[in-house]
Structures are given as C-alpha cells and as structure tokens.
Amino acid sequence: MLRFALLNILTRPLRSFLALVGVAIAIAGVVGLISVSSGLKSTMTDTLGKVHGLVLIEQNSVDPLFSRLPLSYAARVESIPGVAACVPELWMVAPNVEGQKTVLGLFTGIGILGLDPERHTHLPAGHVYSRSMKRGRNIEAGDAGTRRAVISERIAERYHKDIGSTIRVGELEFEIVGVYSTGSVFLDGTIVMHLEQAWNIAGAKKERDMVSSFYVEPKATTPEELSRIEKAIEKEFANDSRKVDALSTQEWQSEFGNIIGNLDVFLIVVSSIAVFVGAIGILNTMFMSVTERVPEFGILKANGWSRGDITRLVLVESAYLGIAGGLFGCGVGVAGVQIAARFMPFHPTTPLPLVATAFGVGALLGILGGVFPARRAAGLSPVEAIRAA
Amino acid sequence: MTISARDLKKTYTLGGRPVEALRGITLDLPDRSFTFVVGPSGSGKSTFMHLAGALDRPTSGTITVAGRELTTMSDNALSDFRREKLGFVFQAFNLIGNLNAVENVLVPFYARGLAEGMREKAKDILKTVGLGDRLGHKPKQLSGGEQQRVAVARALLKDPVLLLADEPTGELDSKTGAEIFGLLRSLHREKGASVVVVTHDTRYIEPGDRVIRIEDGRIVEETAPRG
C-alpha cells in the first residue's frame, strides 16, 4: 500500500509539490523564527552571566538609555553597609562614528559608555570591560581631561582601528588606548570613555550632574546579601523625586525572559496561522484528488478494499505530503537560519528537538489534512463510484 | 448453488421518488454454471449483478453466494468476501491509470500485502491472456481489448468462485469481444468458476448456457442449458 500511495502522489506532481511547499513554508517559518528567538535568549543569558552586581536605574525605566539619575546618588549608595563600590555610568547612542551612521543611515548601532574610572578601581570583581581587555588598557583616572577611548574588537575591525589610532565620535577625536572583547553582541557594541568626555559628546543634551545608571558591587556576593543591599538601596531613595530600581542579573534575566516569552507567544500565533494554511493546502489537494479518483475507489472497493483500507490509503498519501513538506521545511529553515546568521549580530540556535518537533508537526499536518478526504473516499458507495467511471 | 436468491427486491430513491429496480427475484444458479442475464436497459439486470457481487444490499429478500448469506454480513466481511471469492469485469474496463498491467492485476491485494509468488502468478496469468509483452504497460498504452484482458486477468488471479461480468464487450469490436468471451469460457472450463454475464448482446450465448431474461425488475424467462 505504501508504494501505491506514493505512486498516487507522484502521479500529480505539480499539485503535490504545491501542497508540499505550503507545509514547507510553515515549517521553515517555525524553525527560523524559533531559532532566532532561542539564539536571542541564549545570547542574553550569556551576556547577563558576565555581570555580577546590581544595576541601578531610574524607577520604571526599561533600560539605562532611558534613565536619568543624579551623580550625587553614588556617595549615598556607597554609604550603605555591604556596598563595595558604586560606579556612575552614562549610556547613550553614538551620534555617528567616523562620520558614518551605518544602520539604514539613521544611527550607528554603537553605544557610548562614560564611566568614572576612579570608582571603577574599587569594584571587587572588576568591571566587565576591564575583565575583557585584549590589548592595551581600560580608561583610568588619569584620562580625565584627555580624549581617550577603549573600543571592542568588533568596532576595531569594522573601522580598521587599533591602539594608537584615533576614532571620531560625534565631533570629537579620541585616541584608542585599549581593545576589549566580551564575546557578547550586546556588550561589544560600546565605546568606553571617561564620564567627562561622554558629557562633552552629549553637549547640552545631558546635564553634567546626571548619569544614566550606577553599577554596584557588594562586598559579599551571596544571593541573600545581594537581595538585602537591593532592598536597602531602593529604601534609601524611596522619598526622592527620582526613585531607583536596583536590578540583579536574575531580575534582568527575568525581565528579558518576559519579553522573549511574549515574543514566543507572538511567534507561536504567527506559526500557527502558517501551519493552519499549510493544513488547508493539504486538505484541498487531497480533497481534489479524492474527487477525481471516485471511479478508482469504486474499483478498489469492488476488489475487496474495505472502508478502513481506503481510509488508510488516503491518510498515507496525505502523510507523505506532510512528511515531505516537514523534511523540506526543516531543511529550508535550518539552511535559512545558517545564511541569516551571517548577517545577524547574534547566532540563532536551532536545537535538535525543535527540528524534530517541526518535522512531527509537518507529518501530523499531513495526516490531519487527509482525515476529511479519507472519510469521504471511504464512505463512497462502490456501485455509485464504479458508475462514475 | 453458487447463487440462490429469494424474493430479492431493491428500491432506489431517485429525485425523491422511489424506483423499484428489482421487484422480487427468485432464482438458483448451480455451481460451475455459465449464465447470461439479459434484458433491455433499465430492466434491473445490473442491479441484480451488484447484489450478487456484494456491492450493494437488497431492500428485502435474501441472496446467498457460495454458501454465504450476504444480507447478514458486515461491510468488512463483504469486502473480504469480494476480495477472496468474487471476480468482476466491467464494461468500462475499470483499470487504475497510474498502475501498469501487472500492478492492476495485483491491486486487490495491495491493502493487505502480497503473498509470496503472487507477482509471478500475475505475470503468468497476463501471459495466458496474451499480454506477455505488455506487462509494464499502463492502461493508456493498451487498446480497449487489452485493457479488458487485464481486467479478466485480475479476476483470474483470485481463483474466484463466481465471476460477474457487466457488459464486458460493450466497448469492444466483435472480434475482440469474441476473444474476451473465449477467456471467460476458459476460466469457466478450467477453473470451474461460475460465470454470470449481464448483457443485452445475445451473440455470445452458447447452447450450454443458462439464460435469464429480466424485464421491469422481474424474471420473465429462464432457459436452462440445452444438451
């Protein structure tokens, strides 16, 4: 029966191919979108794993880029028992680098981090950029009043720069004193400089007594101590006009997890629509096939094929379409992800269970798409079917 | 008896109105008989064949074929019965277009798997019916007579107790029609199967044949074999 069913599918190659493509597009979409989401998740988890302390931002800001806090908060944070260091940070998007805006000509896609190197040296674990230096050095207290910057290997490669050369950020030229690489796409797009210089680039846009956020490291890094300090910090600023959210790595992860969770729901809805359309394609193909083959089912019934045999035949045919569509879709999806990865700032990941599930969905889609046509074929009266010849 | 029918009736509904195709057929066809069922179009002879072939169920009455009371059997049991005991040859040849001659002969057994040696047996039968050089040909590549030979070969593969033929020469010229009847008669003679031919063409009736004439759903004449 398996060979007979395959023959029936191959007899109508164009129609079968179109139904198969319908399923394949749906499956490729599922594999592609979930691979991107999964890659984004693992990249973010990896990035957050590099940050050990707390990040303080203005209450209800989603990101340091949208947060503004008074510089004077640093001293108040450092006075809280258990805090080892509190580093003020000014985060912003570079207006242009080397006169270029590379992302659609609108912005650079590169961030600027202005920090206070003096306080930096008090961090017990060291700042993530200090720990990731590949060549040269990080910004130091002595760099105040000079235009010096540290760039990532990615930026160095992109602008063909290295230690000793200069890089223009906005209207100002900076001497490159160090090159770092954290390995995270989210962190490696940053030019690090002295807080003073970041204020200079910002010009009138940022007040000189305001920063974006503070990076805080406790003396002891147990989860209990971190939690205690977090609460103490939030309490310290509870009565100020600009209140503070202290976020640990776990909380960032959880926030990001929520965003990705919503993205996953969206992806599942989009994929389900595609999968539904694929199933309709198979249903349509099989229904047309059954309608055209009424006399054939009459012959089979006259020659001893039961309702169950006819049902199985049609279901096997539609399952073939689903399986082929699933295989084709998985292949296209995986290949598409590999190609897309070359142009993406992070690596999409395609776990094997995802491919297996997508393939299973394709096969299931095929079988479900064949149920109604199979019932119709099986229910034909042999006499009526033969007369239709 | 190969077929034993008692007060067999069949009523169809056509356009919301009942149409009595068979109005009480009672007959006995002995084993190894060769029977012609003749009559004008719409007389009910094909309906009788469908009931005898377990393709349809009567409205009332009983019909026993090869010792099995068909009216009491389930749909699945009827399917098994058709596959194992009955052979069919239809006017329109009824071959499956994407299968070659050998595959068309074997198709009744595809659902349950082919027994060992069945493919060779199918080829041998096709050679017997004169299609030894047409084994891999599909229906479109065969003439009408050749297609009907494939249909006969398919019936022969089962070693049927009863072969039912509905206007088997209806779409063939006289010479090819005679050849097909030659095959049916050799099946009857060599395999001992009973043959029922439903036709309005009486040219192929021979003295040893039983002839049943049906008109308006009733048997109006029954002629026992002569000689």
Side-chain angles (χ1 to χ4, degrees):
Chain A
M1 184 192 276
L2 296 177
R3 191 177 165 276
F4 183 32
L6 185 61
L7 211 59
N8 288 334
I9 290 295
L10 296 178
T11 304
R12 296 160 185 84
L14 182 62
R15 193 188 302 162
S16 300
F17 178 72
L18 290 176
L20 181 153
V21 166
V23 176
I25 288 172
I27 299 300
V30 170
V31 170
L33 292 176
I34 295 183
S35 295
V36 168
S37 154
S38 153
L40 199 60
K41 224 179 290 182
S42 73
T43 305
M44 186 46 99
T45 305
D46 184 46
T47 300
L48 293 172
K50 295 175 192 298
V51 180
H52 306 302
L54 297 168
V55 176
L56 313 189
I57 56 171
E58 188 178 354
Q59 196 175 50
N60 299 326
S61 307
V62 285
D63 189 273
L65 277 176
F66 306 107
S67 158
R68 286 172 77 246
L69 292 171
L71 183 60
S72 58
Y73 279 16
R76 286 168 66 187
V77 173
E78 279 174 341
S79 67
I80 293 171
V83 171
C86 174
V87 182
E89 296 179 338
L90 179 63
W91 287 94
M92 58 187 179
V93 176
N96 65 64
V97 174
E98 294 289 295
Q100 298 169 15
K101 292 184 176 181
T102 53
V103 181
L104 304 172
L106 297 174
F107 54 95
T108 55
I110 291 176
I112 293 173
L113 168 61
L115 45 77
D116 177 348
E118 178 100 37
R119 285 197 159 91
H120 217 222
T121 53
H122 301 143
L123 290 172
H127 197 277
V128 59
Y129 293 114
S130 304
R131 281 185 276 121
S132 309
M133 294 308 298
K134 295 293 169 190
R135 299 188 288 283
R137 60 169 178 84
N138 201 358
I139 296 297
E140 294 170 352
D143 293 325
T146 65
R147 286 185 188 153
R148 288 176 183 149
V150 172
I151 62 173
S152 67
E153 280 188 330
R154 187 147 62 86
I155 296 172
E157 205 172 293
R158 184 158 141 196
Y159 293 98
H160 309 289
K161 303 285 181 185
D162 213 329
I163 293 170
S165 54
T166 59
I167 187 161
R168 190 151 54 90
V169 185
E171 301 304 315
L172 305 177
E173 291 276 346
F174 287 83
E175 181 199 345
I176 298 165
V177 294
V179 176
Y180 70 87
S181 176
T182 65
S184 161
V185 67
F186 296 111
L187 297 174
D188 281 0
T190 306
I191 297 174
V192 185
M193 58 183 65
H194 197 285
L195 184 57
E196 296 281 344
Q197 298 304 329
W199 275 328
N200 287 339
I201 290 174
K205 289 181 201 160
K206 304 259 176 188
E207 300 99 307
R208 290 200 167 237
D209 57 349
M210 299 295 276
V211 292
S212 310
S213 55
F214 297 95
Y215 177 60
V216 175
E217 276 194 5
K219 287 173 183 161
T221 54
T222 60
E224 296 77 22
E225 178 64 357
L226 212 58
S227 171
R228 187 193 65 77
I229 291 176
E230 194 183 319
K231 283 181 188 137
I233 291 172
E234 287 179 351
K235 192 177 169 193
E236 168 71 25
F237 300 101
N239 297 321
D240 287 77
S241 59
R242 287 185 189 272
K243 296 178 178 47
V244 165
D245 275 338
L247 299 169
S248 65
T249 305
Q250 284 74 21
E251 282 166 312
W252 280 109
Q253 252 167 351
S254 151
E255 292 242 332
F256 185 74
N258 287 340
I259 294 168
I260 286 288
N262 291 337
L263 179 67
D264 281 347
V265 169
F266 173 73
L267 294 183
I268 287 166
V269 169
V270 170
S271 304
S272 301
I273 293 169
V275 162
F276 179 72
V277 171
I280 295 289
I282 289 195
L283 175 74
N284 181 50
T285 298
M286 292 311 298
F287 195 73
M288 282 173 71
S289 168
V290 162
T291 305
E292 284 173 4
R293 290 157 60 200
V294 166
E296 180 181 317
F297 294 120
I299 300 165
L300 295 176
K301 284 199 156 187
N303 281 284
W305 282 54
S306 66
R307 286 175 69 101
D309 295 332
I310 300 280
T311 302
R312 273 191 292 279
L313 175 68
V314 177
L315 286 180
V316 169
E317 288 175 18
S318 62
Y320 274 143
L321 287 179
I323 289 168
L327 278 176
F328 190 43
C330 284
V332 169
V334 170
V337 164
Q338 295 302 317
I339 292 167
R342 295 181 189 176
F343 306 101
M344 294 172 88
F346 62 91
H347 279 283
T349 50
T350 313
L352 196 60
L354 168 65
V355 178
T357 307
F359 173 68
V361 167
L364 187 67
L365 213 65
I367 293 168
L368 290 178
V371 169
F372 180 59
R375 281 175 62 92
R376 185 174 184 275
L380 289 168
S381 142
V383 171
E384 295 301 321
I386 288 166
R387 277 186 186 150
Chain B
M1 291 292 164
T2 300
I3 300 178
S4 185
R6 294 290 173 270
D7 197 24
L8 203 59
K9 292 181 182 171
K10 179 71 183 180
T11 304
Y12 295 107
T13 305
L14 204 65
R17 294 174 58 192
V19 176
E20 289 181 276
L22 291 182
R23 298 168 188 242
I25 299 275
T26 296
L27 60 75
D28 289 303
L29 299 183
D31 294 340
R32 305 173 75 92
S33 57
F34 200 109
T35 305
F36 279 83
V37 178
V38 297
S41 293
S43 59
K45 55 188 190 301
S46 288
T47 302
F48 170 72
M49 195 204 92
H50 294 148
L51 296 181
L55 296 170
D56 206 354
R57 291 179 183 275
T59 308
S60 66
T62 60
I63 182 162
T64 304
V65 177
R68 301 287 302 274
E69 165 58 71
L70 301 186
T71 47
T72 60
M73 290 165 70
S74 68
D75 283 351
N76 278 345
L78 288 177
S79 296
D80 290 342
F81 185 69
R82 286 197 296 271
R83 188 176 58 251
E84 289 159 13
K85 303 285 185 188
L86 305 181
F88 293 93
V89 177
F90 297 99
Q91 179 177 359
F93 317 140
N94 289 96
L95 301 182
I96 292 174
N98 56 9
L99 299 181
N100 65 29
V102 175
E103 290 164 340
N104 261 293
V105 171
L106 291 168
V107 80
F109 301 94
Y110 273 177
R112 307 296 165 92
L114 299 181
E116 202 182 324
M118 204 171 256
R119 188 171 290 276
E120 290 312 308
K121 189 178 172 187
K123 288 179 184 171
D124 288 343
I125 293 171
L126 281 168
K127 286 174 193 163
T128 307
V129 299
L131 294 174
D133 57 346
R134 291 279 196 269
L135 301 180
H137 286 57
K138 294 196 170 163
K140 274 187 183 169
Q141 300 167 302
L142 300 171
S143 69
E146 287 171 331
Q147 288 187 51
Q148 199 60 303
R149 284 165 193 254
V150 175
V152 172
R154 182 167 65 200
L156 289 175
L157 183 70
K158 302 175 179 183
D159 290 327
V161 174
L162 170 64
L163 187 140
L164 296 146
D166 190 0
E167 302 283 7
T169 59
E171 295 191 11
L172 303 175
D173 59 52
S174 332
K175 181 173 171 286
T176 314
E179 286 171 2
I180 293 299
F181 261 97
L183 284 174
L184 295 180
R185 289 196 183 279
S186 66
L187 163 72
H188 169 63
R189 210 167 35 245
E190 291 161 21
K191 305 268 184 178
S194 293
V195 177
V196 174
V197 180
V198 172
T199 183
H200 59 265
D201 187 348
T202 54
R203 282 177 298 172
Y204 304 106
I205 297 173
E206 292 183 359
D209 298 336
R210 180 177 297 269
V211 180
I212 294 166
R213 177 173 291 279
I214 297 181
E215 285 178 16
D216 294 328
R218 291 191 179 89
I219 295 174
V220 294
E221 187 183 354
E222 188 169 355
T223 311
R226 286 173 279 137

